[in-house]
Amino acid sequence: MTTKQVTRSTFDEVMVPTYSPSQIVPVRGEGSRVWDQEGREYVDFAGGIAVTALGHCHPVMVKALTEQANKIWHLSNVMTNEPALRLASKLVDATFADRVFFANSGAEANEAAFKLARKYAYDNFGPEKNEIIAFTNSFHGRTLFTVSVGGQPKYRIGFEPAPGGITHVPFNDLEALKAVISERTCAVVMEPIQGEGGILPATAEFAKAVRELCDQHNALLVFDEVQSGMGRSGSLFAYMEIGVTPDILSSAKSLGGGFPIGAMLTTDKVAASFGFGSHGSTYGGNALACAVAESVLDEINRPSVLEGVKRKHALFREALEAINAKYHVFKEIRGMGLLIGAELVEPYASNAKAFIGAGAEEGVMILTASTNTLRFAPSLVIPEEDIKEGMARLEKAIAKMVSQ
Ligand SMILES: Cc1ncc(COP(=O)(O)O)c(C=O)c1O
């Protein structure tokens, strides 16, 4: 194999222009530090968009991946494999679920969730019960079904006709939900913490009331925990924090810690509608992906790590508040665990993206959520000194932004 010299400009020549990546091309990561092609070092508060939950190249993940790489990589679902069975058993032991379906991404886990909700209603109540209610501003992935259930029209426009039978209502607005839920509703779909929409948590009262409404109308409650799950909230899943149990839950992102995998979790009763041949995926349950995810789950689902997430939330919040006391850039700091949003005040609110570039110049990687919010989704085991160092760099970046 010959090694071709590649740079950021290669992206503009050979990649479909769906993304507009940063000018930085990272080549190496360790824990919460990353180095680019030029050898510059960054503190990583972005975590690959809430994915690298154990940081980069965590030894337990490297061990799990390399051990499995020397055993067997892939079998398809014509045969099962030990890592998939172990991971599914551990997810069942750790959650409300009795059954697991593996996919390769968050969108695919949601696609499975939405199809299953429809199929369950079809099997148990008939074809008229097919309507899905979802929330304004939500994000559920980029397949046609998931952009249609997602509550942000910008991801759907141009790709119509979209699948029908989907209604959107404002988030945390119980009266709006009451006005549209009916015997035709097969599922209500929500993110316990809207991620892409701006780090907006559901109130516990709202989530409880949604659960009750679903029960009254024989509708399934689907929680999309692709971003909020796997320890990010300070509990293994955010549903545990808010005390409301869904019928179907989707997981991805941090589940693989950087290796692509998604999962849909559900009960025996609901899973019965996904009978043999009704759904599938060639790579779903891939042995390498499941071996890595098993190591991630083992590592995250420990009191010391989950308590650490809550402690680190406080450190992030304190540091952001201290920055705000000096520069008055944030309107609100919100979120749970290590999924934190800092909404910008005017005139910065329309220009959140500029903060990413300013951060990178000072050596800290951050994200945006919505157009007006800075987002922090670092490793769940980020060392406290990296939080301190990253925040010092962020403060320099913000000082520059406000002096412009
Ligand atoms: C809540 C939520 N659901 C689904 C997805 C889609 O996941 P993926 O990009 O892995 O398909 C995302 C991605 O940002 C997400 O935040």
Side-chain angles (χ1 to χ4, degrees):
M1 195 170 76
T2 56
T3 306
K4 190 179 183 311
Q5 209 56 38
V6 286
T7 64
R8 170 60 181 80
S9 61
T10 315
F11 182 94
D12 298 328
E13 292 155 23
V14 300
M15 302 286 274
V16 170
T18 44
Y19 308 111
S20 173
S22 149
Q23 292 305 312
I24 302 162
V25 181
V27 292
R28 189 166 72 81
E30 195 183 319
S32 286
R33 304 275 174 146
V34 168
W35 290 264
D36 70 11
Q37 282 184 320
E38 267 69 59
R40 286 198 63 207
E41 174 255 350
Y42 303 84
V43 175
D44 185 1
F45 283 170
I49 320 189
V51 166
T52 48
L54 296 178
H56 298 277
C57 301
H58 192 289
V60 305
M61 294 198 302
V62 173
K63 183 167 178 278
L65 180 61
T66 48
E67 277 182 10
Q68 190 59 40
N70 284 305
K71 286 185 186 160
I72 195 158
W73 290 27
H74 180 77
L75 291 156
S76 89
N77 287 297
V78 171
M79 273 158 275
T80 190
N81 66 73
E82 289 182 353
L85 296 172
R86 282 199 306 266
L87 175 60
S89 303
K90 288 182 180 180
L91 286 168
V92 163
D93 288 347
T95 66
F96 74 96
D98 311 307
R99 301 273 174 170
V100 179
F101 175 84
F102 288 122
N104 312 291
S105 66
E108 283 177 73
N110 282 332
E111 186 83 19
F114 306 160
K115 281 180 71 180
L116 176 59
R118 285 238 171 114
K119 185 68 167 37
Y120 174 81
Y122 179 94
D123 288 350
N124 291 281
F125 303 98
E128 271 76 49
K129 192 174 179 66
N130 59 37
E131 288 179 5
I132 294 174
I133 301 175
F135 295 98
T136 313
N137 250 334
S138 62
F139 184 82
H140 300 298
R142 298 294 202 117
T143 64
L144 193 53
F145 200 178
T146 54
V147 290
S148 304
V149 174
Q152 300 190 49
K154 67 178 179 195
Y155 295 123
R156 193 161 61 234
I157 290 166
F159 298 107
E160 294 99 342
I166 301 162
T167 305
H168 295 100
V169 294
F171 193 47
N172 278 330
D173 183 341
L174 193 59
E175 292 312 310
L177 178 60
K178 277 186 186 162
V180 297
I181 196 165
S182 75
E183 288 315 304
R184 292 173 63 95
T185 306
C186 71
V188 176
V189 177
M190 67 187 257
E191 294 163 85
I193 309 167
Q194 285 193 340
E196 300 304 305
I199 316 298
L200 301 159
T203 64
E205 305 75 64
F206 179 70
K208 284 191 181 101
V210 175
R211 175 71 273 178
E212 282 163 19
L213 279 176
C214 285
D215 292 342
Q216 281 163 23
H217 293 89
N218 290 315
L220 297 180
L221 178 58
V222 180
F223 272 4
D224 177 345
E225 291 233 31
V226 167
Q227 189 154 167
S228 62
M230 289 301 292
R232 198 148 288 281
S233 68
S235 285
L236 185 61
F237 287 98
Y239 84 82
M240 299 166 175
E241 278 289 307
I242 58 179
V244 173
T245 304
D247 302 294
I248 301 178
L249 178 148
S250 55
S251 177
K253 287 193 183 274
S254 292
L255 176 61
F259 203 98
I261 184 169
M264 183 204 65
L265 280 57
T266 191
T267 59
D268 274 329
K269 189 171 153 214
V270 177
S273 285
F274 251 0
F276 176 67
S278 55
H279 193 58
S281 158
T282 299
Y283 264 120
N286 169 270
L288 287 176
C290 290
V292 175
E294 184 192 2
S295 74
V296 173
L297 177 61
D298 284 347
E299 196 63 24
I300 287 177
N301 198 20
R302 295 191 293 154
S304 59
V305 172
L306 296 172
E307 280 156 20
V309 169
K310 291 190 174 164
R311 205 171 52 246
K312 287 164 194 181
H313 173 93
L315 293 178
F316 266 85
R317 201 175 262 275
E318 276 162 29
L320 289 168
E321 275 162 6
I323 290 175
N324 206 29
K326 273 195 194 164
Y327 301 101
H328 313 290
V329 282
F330 303 134
K331 188 170 158 192
E332 187 184 28
I333 298 161
R334 57 183 177 243
M336 276 164 112
L338 287 174
L339 186 56
I340 297 168
E343 185 177 331
L344 293 161
V345 293
E346 292 297 345
Y348 310 108
S350 53
N351 203 16
K353 271 220 164 99
F355 285 76
I356 297 188
E361 269 176 34
E362 297 302 326
V364 59
M365 292 175 165
I366 59 167
L367 299 163
T368 58
S370 183
T371 51
N372 60 5
T373 301
L374 305 186
R375 172 171 35 165
F376 304 87
S379 156
L380 306 184
V381 295
I382 183 171
E384 293 186 4
E385 55 278 19
D386 286 4
I387 299 178
K388 232 173 152 186
E389 177 60 26
M391 281 296 170
R393 295 179 188 187
L394 182 69
E395 180 171 343
K396 279 192 199 154
I398 287 176
K400 267 195 190 163
M401 289 293 295
V402 298
S403 69
Q404 273 171 13

